[in-house]
Structures are given as C-alpha cells and as structure tokens.
Amino acid sequence: ETQDRIYSTAAPLIRIVSALAEGADRIAITAAPADWRLEAILPMPRSEYARDFLGAAAASDSNAEFERLLARAASVTELPLLPAVDVRDDAGRALHYHALAAFLVRQIDLLVAVWDGQQADGPGGTAGVVARACNEGRPVLWIDPKDAAMPRLLLAFDAVAPIDHRWQTLQAGVVDRLLRDILMPPAPAVSAPGEHHEAHGIENMAGEHAAAAKPIPQLPSYFALRWPKPMRWPFAYNLLRWLAGAGRWSWPIAYPSYDDLAKSWDGFFAAIAGHPSRNAAEFNGRLRSILLPRSIWADALAWYYGHLYRSAYVSIFILAGLSVPVGLCYLFFLESPAILDIKAGFVVAELLIISTVVIVVRRGIRQHWHAVWLATRELSELLRLGRSLAYVGALRDFVAAPHAGGRETLPSWYVRATFREIGLPSGVLDATYLRHVLNAALTTEIEEQRAYHTANARNLGKIHHMLHHKGDACFVATVGILGIYLLVWVIDRFLLPGAAHAQEHAGAHPHGPLHKILEYYIKPTVSIAAAGLPAFGAALSGIRAQGDFEGFAQRSATTHHELTEVEQQIGALLSVPDQIDLQAATDVLLAATRVMAKDVSAWQQLYVSKRLTLPA
C-alpha cells in the first residue's frame, strides 16, 4: 500500500535470469508469468552451447525449445570461450559453467535453487552456484526435489557435510520480507526529540518528521522539482571564480538545457555503436531511456543546490565581514549635531546585513541545500559511471548491496534500482566486443575525466591562492594603515609649530590643515579600516576553510594520476586486441570507475561536515 510513494504505478518489472538448461531452468521459465522478462546467460556462444543438448533422447525437440526460448528472451548474453581451455572435453566445459555461475550470481537479487543438497562433482554445478550466492550475500530459496512441497530459505551453506546446511521453512511473509529488504529504499533516520540531523532531510524532504520507530520510506521531494531556472541572486560563488580567473562571468547563471546535456553522451554511444553484438541498438536505447535521463536530472539538481550552497557560504562570510566597517561609518559624522540619528541609520544598515546572513543560513538549513547537494552529486556520478560497466554486465559489482546490518544511502539504493532495471546486453562478450567497449571508455569517459580533473585542480588552486593572498593582504594593509596613522600623528604632535600645541593644551582647538585631516578623515578611516580589514581577511579565510579548495585540488590531481595509470592498463589490453578476455576487461573498467567513485567519496567526506552555519 506504500509502494506508490516510491515506485511508479506501472506494472512491476520482474526478471528471470536463466541459462536455459534442460530441466529445472526450462520448467521455471515455463511456469513463470508471461509478463516476466527473460534474460538468458549462456556459458559459451550459443552454437557451442547447443551441443550440450544433442545427446538428449529428443535432441531435436530440445534444440527447438532452446531456440524458442532464445527468441523469447529480452537479452541473450553469451560468455566467450575461455582462453587455453578445450571446450570440447568435459573438464573444459565444466570451467565454462563455473564462469557462468560467477557471472550469473552477480546479476541476481534472489536465487531459486532446485537442488538435492549434495556437493557437486566438479566446478560449475548447482552446489557451486548456491555456495557462491551464499558467499556473496544473495538470498537463496532452496527447493529440494525430494521434498518439493516444503521450500526453504537457506541460511548457511556447508561445504563439507550436506546434512549441516542451515535453513528455515519458507513460511508466509518470509519472501515478502526478503523482497522488501531488496527493493524498498532505506528508511529515514529517526532523531531523538529536539535533536537535529541534516541527513534526516535527505530522506524525508517533505517535512514529515518520523514519530514511529519504523517510518515508512519514501523518495525525497526534490525528485519532484522542475528543471532549474536561471539563477539571479545566488551569484557570489560565480563571482569568486571569475575574480580568481577560474571561470567566466555570466549573469544570470543558467544551466545547459536537457537536450544539450543529452548530446554530451553522443560521443560515448558513437564510440560503442560499432560493436557487433546482437540487439546493440536496443541496449543502447535502454541506456538512453533509463540511465542517461536520470544521470542528467541528478546532475541538474546537484548543480542547482551546489550553487545555492556555495554562493550562500561565500555571501555570509563576506557580509559578516562587511557588517563591521559599515557599523563604524558613523565616525565620519561625530561633529554633526545629528550624530545620533546618523548612527541609528548605520545601525539599521548593519542590522539588515546581519539579518540577511541569518536568513540565508536558516533558509539553507531548512531547505537542506548542503545535504541535497551531496546526495544528488553522488547520485549523478554513480549513474554516469555505470554506462561502460553496463556493457560487460558489471553494474552489480560497482554498487553492491550493503552487508547485513550495514546502512545504505538513498543514492546507492536508487542507483542499484536503476542498474537492476537496465538489465544485460545481448551478444557474445568476446575480444572483438570488448575492444569496442574499452575504446569507448578510454576515448570518452577516462579522457574526459582526466581533462576535467586537470582543469579542476588548476581552477581550485587559483581560488585557493587568491583567497590566501587577499586574506594576508588585508592584515598587511591593516598594519600599514596603522603605521601611517602613527606617522601622521607623530608629525602633527611633535613637528608642528609649538603654538598650536600650546593652544591645544589651553583648551583651544588647533586649526592647522594637517590636524584637521588627522581628526576628521584619517582617524575615522583608520578606525574603520583597523576593524574592517581584519574582519574581511577573516571572512576570506573562512571561505577558504569552508571550500577547502586546496584539498579538492590535490584530490583532483591524485585522481588524474590514478586515471592515467588505468589508461595505461587499458592501452596494454588494447595492444593485443585478439587476446582480451572478459575478466581482464571487467577488472580494468571497474578499476577506472572505482577511481572516479573514490574521488566522489573523498569529496563527500571532506564536505559532509561543512554545513551552513553562522560565521563564528
């Protein structure tokens, strides 16, 4: 009754992943509802795999059914022949079935095993699939043919004594609980009364504070936002980048259109379009319709909230520093008969500045600019990084389900749900296919990211150095201004004609030009500067500390270096294109995505504690 708060009202998509083998595999497919999507994973190319059915009593019927199931499947992923393995003998075929077990288990959320509970004679048997699923934390529903009326939930697999397998009877509600654990998003954190956690706003943005011990999960309300409109007031961060020479000035600040951003993926799809797999256009279309819009949408939200948050902290530090000299400007009017009225006017101006700071901070906290920025940036990056891995069936390896007892974030849950929806590619994942995938990842994803991190490290370094130098300059200027004041005072006090000082000591007011300048112009200017410049320098230091531009520049430089190493590994694989194997290609693509994901994780760890607060 609560799924409509999380999922669309469309019929649920249920995938049955199978090797189409004779026996239990085909019985399960026949028994499955017609609207379930069948995805086939074959241990070897289909023509070679079909040889396993030639020895059957009704070989022609078996092969006909195999072809019928292949035609029905939404995707047919054919694992390549293993190098240096003779697929024609039993041992060689067993190794291919072992590779199938590893690949298949990574693609599923729940394993239904029709199994006698006995150990397999060699690699690739049902027992091996069950053992791997248990080891990787996949729930296993066990149907023992000797007692098929009593399905079980396997709790622990014993590799030595079959009698010691731990299981429980599959009672009503167990499957429902398992599916809820797999499919439902993490529940919002429950805070103690009066305790404030900004992370709570990430998971329950609608403002419905949880009162029950187990609140109903729901998607954040920021998913319902429209495409960001041009921003006019939050321009402070853009101005800072422009002043530092780290970006161009534009106003209003506009995000590219959806169509323009969608075109940024064209290079990737063009690079990968030449792979010779079956139904390539269909799988590319699946990524365009599922992965691309969600990544771009999350990126738009991250840009919007990132600009709000960054402009907010730049603005509040600058305004806080500005309030000090503004409040002292009344010193220029000390001789005016309306000095109290003038001072009240400047007090009002200072009050307006401080009030603006408070309003910006409170609004940022209430609307969770910082938290939503972190969540949507993570979401966008993880979704984008999945596009290369989708072509080798490694999406589940990239963003895995949390271990038992581990807490999952909403972005990782949403990414896993998206990856589940994409499914598997069709075709033989052989060296020719893998060469296209690696080339596409290298010439688009990795090269684009290396260029981005090069520019990012340079621009963040510019901002850091500008803030550092200008902040130091404020304190140096304060010392200089105070020194100038003392110099003018010495000249006026000790080098002017003595008559003027005699008049001063007698109670008369000296009217020398230098003394007038010192009294009515230099003194208030020095008082304002002596208070305002250190305050402004502290504001620049606060911006530098809040933004940690130097730390992020170093992080980008490190990521660039690590991506260069991955690029060399891909180059080494491509240097012998006919010998690329699936495991090596998958490993290097995972290495690349994990480098880029590690950058996102490090960025989050640095920024997670930098919430909007009033300047101290």
Side-chain angles (χ1 to χ4, degrees), residues 253-547:
I253 306 165
Y255 195 63
S257 69
Y258 175 87
D259 290 338
D260 289 338
L261 290 172
K263 291 176 183 177
S264 68
W265 286 46
D266 287 349
F268 173 80
F269 287 118
I272 211 165
H275 70 74
S277 66
R278 300 179 181 90
N279 301 324
E282 188 275 336
F283 191 68
N284 292 347
R286 213 183 303 167
L287 262 65
R288 281 187 179 275
S289 63
I290 298 174
L291 190 63
L292 183 149
R294 298 180 192 184
S295 176
I296 289 177
W297 179 242
D299 190 60
L301 291 175
W303 172 86
Y304 178 77
Y305 282 100
H307 260 288
L308 285 176
Y309 166 75
R310 285 164 161 163
S311 290
Y313 77 71
V314 171
S315 298
I316 62 177
F317 276 108
I318 294 298
L319 290 174
L322 186 64
S323 66
V324 175
V326 168
L328 294 175
C329 283
Y330 76 93
L331 294 175
F332 285 108
F333 306 95
L334 290 178
E335 296 299 319
S336 171
I339 180 59
L340 294 180
D341 297 334
I342 293 172
K343 180 175 175 58
F346 284 110
V347 167
V348 170
E350 184 177 9
L351 183 62
L352 289 174
I353 292 173
I354 298 300
S355 298
T356 301
V357 170
V358 174
I359 290 171
V360 169
V361 171
R362 288 182 61 85
R363 186 174 183 183
I365 292 174
R366 188 168 58 251
Q367 297 185 359
H368 310 284
W369 294 344
H370 170 261
V372 177
W373 174 44
L374 294 182
T376 52
R377 175 54 60 204
E378 177 188 5
L379 183 61
S380 170
E381 293 299 315
L382 293 180
L383 288 170
R384 180 181 57 79
L385 292 175
R387 60 186 184 181
S388 297
L389 296 175
Y391 287 89
V392 293
L395 290 175
R396 303 294 189 92
D397 296 334
F398 177 43
V399 182
H403 296 294
R407 178 157 177 79
E408 184 172 29
T409 65
L410 182 69
S412 67
W413 169 84
Y414 187 86
V415 168
R416 288 196 304 108
T418 298
F419 288 172
R420 182 188 299 117
E421 186 178 353
I422 290 171
L424 292 168
S426 289
V428 184
L429 308 189
D430 56 11
T432 303
Y433 174 94
L434 296 172
R435 185 175 69 249
H436 282 86
V437 176
L438 290 174
N439 268 316
L442 179 63
T443 57
T444 56
E445 190 77 61
I446 295 177
E447 290 185 359
E448 288 173 3
Q449 283 295 299
R450 287 180 66 242
Y452 164 78
H453 284 291
T454 297
N456 194 53
R458 180 179 63 249
N459 290 333
L460 293 179
K462 288 180 179 180
I463 297 175
H464 169 78
H465 289 302
M466 185 202 74
L467 292 172
H468 179 69
H469 293 152
K470 299 303 182 186
D472 289 351
C474 287
F475 291 96
V476 171
T478 302
V479 173
I481 289 173
L482 292 176
I484 292 173
Y485 176 82
L486 289 176
L487 177 63
V488 175
W489 174 79
V490 167
I491 293 173
D492 178 66
R493 185 73 176 81
F494 298 106
L495 301 181
L496 286 178
H501 294 292
Q503 291 179 352
E504 181 180 3
H505 288 297
H509 190 79
H511 296 290
L514 182 60
H515 192 88
K516 286 184 178 180
I517 293 173
L518 181 65
E519 179 73 22
Y520 297 112
Y521 300 103
I522 296 180
K523 185 175 72 174
T525 299
V526 168
S527 298
I528 294 171
L533 283 175
F536 198 73
L540 296 179
S541 297
I543 294 172
R544 183 159 54 92
Q546 183 83 358

Side-chain angles (χ1 to χ4, degrees), residues 31-86:
D35 58 349
W36 286 19
R37 186 165 81 185
L38 172 61
E39 295 193 347
I41 304 176
L42 310 186
M44 57 199 74
R46 64 177 70 189
S47 59
E48 180 62 37
Y49 184 43
R51 291 181 61 249
D52 281 358
F53 313 131
L54 295 178
S60 60
D61 292 342
S62 181
N63 273 284
E65 185 180 14
F66 177 61
E67 293 297 332
R68 181 180 60 79
L69 292 175
L70 287 176
R72 173 186 164 185
S75 64
V76 181
T77 304
E78 304 169 55
L79 301 186
L81 296 176
L82 297 175
V85 173
D86 186 359

Side-chain angles (χ1 to χ4, degrees), residues 6 13 33 37 64 73 102 113 132 139-140 183 195 200 202 243 303 413 458 471 487 515 594:
I6 302 158
L13 172 62
R37 186 165 81 185
R132 183 177 291 274
V140 178
L183 300 175
E195 183 181 3
H200 176 80
I202 280 283
L243 292 174
W303 172 86
W413 169 84
R458 180 179 63 249
L487 177 63
H515 192 88
R594 283 167 178 160

